[in-house]
Amino acid sequence: MSGVVFALLGVAIAAGLAGTGSAMGVGIAGQAAAGVVTEDPNKFAKVLLLQLLPGTQGIYGLLVGFIALSKIGLLGGGINWDMPVAEGLLYLMGCLPIGIVGLLSAIAQGKTSAASIGIVARKPEQFGKAMLFPAMVETYAILALLVSILAINAL
Amino acid sequence: MSDRSYTYAVARIRALESGLFTTALIEQLLGVRTYEGCLRFLAEHGWGDADTPLEAGAMLERERQKAWGTVRELLKGDDEVLSVLLYRDLYHNLKAAIKKTRDPGKHTGRIYYEDCEIDGRQMEQIVADRDWQALPAHMRRAAQEAFETFCHTGDGQLCDMMLDRAALEAIGEAGEHSREPVIRDYAESMVAVADIKIAVRCHETGKSLEFLRRALAPCRSLSTDRLAAAALNGTDAICGYLEGTAYAGGAQALRESPSAFERWCDNRLIETMRPQKYHAFTAGPLVAYLLARENEIKTVRMILTARLNGLSEPQIRERIREMYV
């Protein structure tokens, strides 16, 4: 079996899991945002920003996916269909951090964003502080992104 | 805990909570010296609708309808939470229907809650037909017993006591079986505070131990036997018993004055609900909002009545409930 199969599996995990997590996170925060806007449409801009925060993991997954595809040669041409299985597995391993952490952190961030939207609903002047709570979750998605990029670039 | 997602509902409630009266706003309302001025103050703060007359009854009723309408809409299909909140109204309708069926001319005007599971007209029909099976399971036996007792004795107080006890038992049981922590807390607090109130009133009216035992509903945080025994021995005995329980504040309020005790009873329920301010995904904040609105409406009604009757400032302040926000 060609190592390309494993490498592409890694790409699918990076983009797929992180994207799924973001979709779920944005969905959770979106429900809360809709609840607030139902009663107070003036808070639309503030709650929209909070809703968007869990969307970044999907972008990170996409970025790692692109880098991996580029390194494999699927984007620029010159793919080596006889890639060793071990090399393919290394791509897969490199993609795992952003895939797994992206999925879980986006869901957690969505819940935190929903809770922060509750703060904005009651005390809109505390928007800055409310932003910080979900932003803290982002740290771990960024760490996973860095590890994935460094690992794939090193191959 | 329920599998249902309350994210949208809680966020909407959070937005609505910003419109709840704070202690500062209640102070401002207290600062308004006239009854008409108070009504204008309420209207300025969004109470009533454009077509609601500037009249206390209409404004307060409209606010109650708004609160229930919103929570009903948000809890649509979630009978576990909604039904427990409506038990009091449901049993009230049964009490009213039994009395009206027996003495039709005596009970006129608006005596029913129309926005609950069985409205007044349906309840009257059920009582007239003795169709107890048409009632929810938890009401059937109590309804039949209360009806027969009332028909034989004509004792409205005894009938009320039997149905009040059944209502408290139903609330307590719903709380025990509920997956929602807020319903468990609400039921426990509701039943315990109601038992304490019953004990105090029974002492004041000189009821017997047998009456007390029939009236007090079982709950986990109080021993009804000890409470009943204390009620026979006077206010000090009730206070002495309460001081050793989680309801020690009630003892202090009872020693202070009857109105301080009534205030403590309402405050205790709001205190139970206060942790719901920090939940973002459960039904808790919805229940808490509804109770907070009921509490707010009750406080405003008290202020308006006091203004109308020219009560003094300290007398009014003694009756002011703690606000949820």
Side-chain angles (χ1 to χ4, degrees):
Chain A
M1 187 190 283
S2 170
V4 173
V5 173
F6 292 105
L8 281 179
L9 181 62
V11 172
I13 284 173
L17 290 188
T20 304
S22 275
M24 291 171 78
V26 171
I28 293 166
Q31 287 178 45
V36 173
V37 173
T38 304
E39 295 299 333
D40 187 357
N42 293 329
K43 295 197 175 95
F44 173 73
K46 283 180 175 169
V47 296
L48 183 68
L49 277 176
L50 283 162
Q51 188 202 352
L52 290 177
L53 284 177
T56 50
Q57 283 84 342
I59 298 168
Y60 299 160
L62 182 74
L63 178 66
V64 169
F66 270 131
I67 294 171
L69 285 174
S70 171
K71 290 279 287 184
I72 298 162
L74 268 174
L75 283 184
I79 183 170
N80 173 19
W81 291 106
D82 297 325
M83 180 190 284
V85 170
E87 193 183 339
L89 283 171
L90 287 173
Y91 277 108
L92 171 62
M93 293 299 167
C95 289
L96 280 182
I98 192 59
I100 296 168
V101 178
L103 171 72
L104 299 177
S105 69
I107 296 169
Q109 198 171 29
K111 289 179 179 172
T112 319
S113 284
S116 287
I117 285 169
I119 299 178
V120 172
R122 283 273 302 276
K123 296 178 177 171
E125 71 280 5
Q126 300 296 335
F127 175 68
K129 288 175 189 163
M131 280 283 282
L132 279 177
F133 299 122
M136 298 300 283
V137 184
E138 190 76 17
T139 313
Y140 303 96
I142 292 170
L143 295 180
L145 171 70
L146 279 175
V147 169
S148 284
I149 290 176
L150 291 173
I152 290 166
N153 271 335
L155 292 173
Chain B
M1 199 173 292
S2 170
D3 297 330
R4 183 174 160 172
S5 168
Y6 293 100
T7 313
Y8 168 83
V10 173
R12 210 171 140 185
I13 286 296
R14 291 286 175 249
L16 287 169
E17 277 175 3
S18 62
L20 283 174
F21 273 16
T22 58
T23 309
L25 267 173
I26 290 291
E27 282 294 325
Q28 282 183 33
L29 182 60
L30 277 172
V32 182
R33 296 289 158 197
T34 62
Y35 176 75
E36 290 73 22
C38 287
L39 290 178
R40 274 196 298 277
F41 178 93
L42 293 174
E44 281 162 16
H45 284 83
W47 283 50
D49 285 329
D51 56 349
T52 309
L54 203 64
E55 188 260 314
M59 285 173 98
L60 300 184
E61 181 54 29
R62 183 69 198 110
E63 286 308 301
R64 191 174 186 271
Q65 283 171 359
K66 278 190 213 169
W68 274 96
T70 307
V71 173
R72 258 175 217 281
E73 184 193 329
L74 294 173
L75 284 173
K76 200 180 276 176
D78 195 340
D79 291 340
E80 185 194 336
V81 177
L82 200 57
S83 59
V84 180
L85 298 171
L86 288 167
Y87 279 175
R88 277 184 308 170
D89 295 355
L90 197 56
Y91 276 87
H92 166 88
N93 279 0
L94 178 58
K95 282 194 277 189
I98 288 176
K99 287 174 187 169
K100 196 174 179 188
T101 307
R102 178 80 196 274
D103 299 311
K106 209 171 167 185
H107 305 277
T108 51
R110 285 186 57 198
I111 57 169
Y112 295 113
Y113 288 110
E114 297 302 336
D115 52 356
C116 70
E117 199 180 332
I118 303 173
D119 63 25
R121 197 185 50 78
Q122 288 174 303
M123 195 63 93
E124 277 181 20
Q125 195 60 49
I126 289 169
V127 174
D129 298 344
R130 324 282 196 266
D131 182 15
W132 311 121
Q133 291 304 312
L135 294 169
H138 58 86
M139 294 181 88
R140 289 172 196 158
R141 198 169 55 86
Q144 189 175 357
E145 277 177 16
F147 180 76
E148 284 168 5
T149 304
F150 188 60
C151 286
H152 290 137
T153 64
D155 186 344
Q157 196 185 32
L158 187 61
C159 170
D160 284 354
M161 181 273 278
M162 291 169 81
L163 291 177
D164 285 341
R165 155 93 188 230
L168 290 175
E169 275 181 347
I171 291 171
E173 200 154 313
E176 272 185 27
H177 295 112
S178 178
R179 290 181 298 167
E180 287 289 343
V182 68
I183 295 297
R184 287 201 293 272
D185 295 346
Y186 165 77
E188 184 60 27
S189 204
M190 182 82 188
V191 176
V193 168
D195 276 349
I196 297 169
K197 270 187 188 176
I198 290 167
V200 170
R201 283 176 191 161
C202 282
H203 159 65
E204 285 165 358
T205 51
K207 296 290 181 201
S208 66
L209 183 61
E210 191 202 351
F211 186 94
L212 270 157
R213 283 191 175 143
R214 286 185 73 181
L216 296 175
C219 70
R220 276 181 287 121
S221 52
L222 284 176
S223 157
T224 49
D225 284 340
R226 290 186 62 190
L227 188 60
L232 283 183
N233 291 321
T235 307
D236 282 341
I238 297 174
C239 293
Y241 170 62
L242 290 181
E243 274 162 1
T245 67
Y247 307 98
Q252 201 182 338
L254 194 54
R255 284 201 172 101
E256 203 178 313
S257 70
S259 54
F261 173 68
E262 288 294 328
R263 188 183 58 182
W264 173 83
C265 292
D266 289 341
N267 286 350
R268 171 76 204 194
L269 206 56
I270 289 297
E271 208 54 54
T272 309
M273 291 296 120
R274 226 178 272 286
Q276 303 306 326
K277 283 203 278 192
Y278 315 113
H279 293 195
F281 304 104
T282 67
L286 280 80
V287 177
Y289 172 75
L290 192 63
L291 296 176
R293 283 244 66 193
E294 295 262 14
N295 184 56
E296 183 186 63
I297 292 167
K298 191 184 253 187
T299 303
V300 168
R301 178 175 284 121
M302 212 109 59
I303 295 172
L304 291 172
T305 311
R307 282 279 170 257
L308 208 54
N309 293 296
L311 258 64
S312 67
E313 196 75 15
Q315 280 176 313
I316 302 176
R317 284 189 185 281
E318 197 184 34
R319 288 164 174 79
I320 298 295
R321 271 59 176 161
E322 273 177 25
M323 294 291 112
Y324 175 63
V325 289

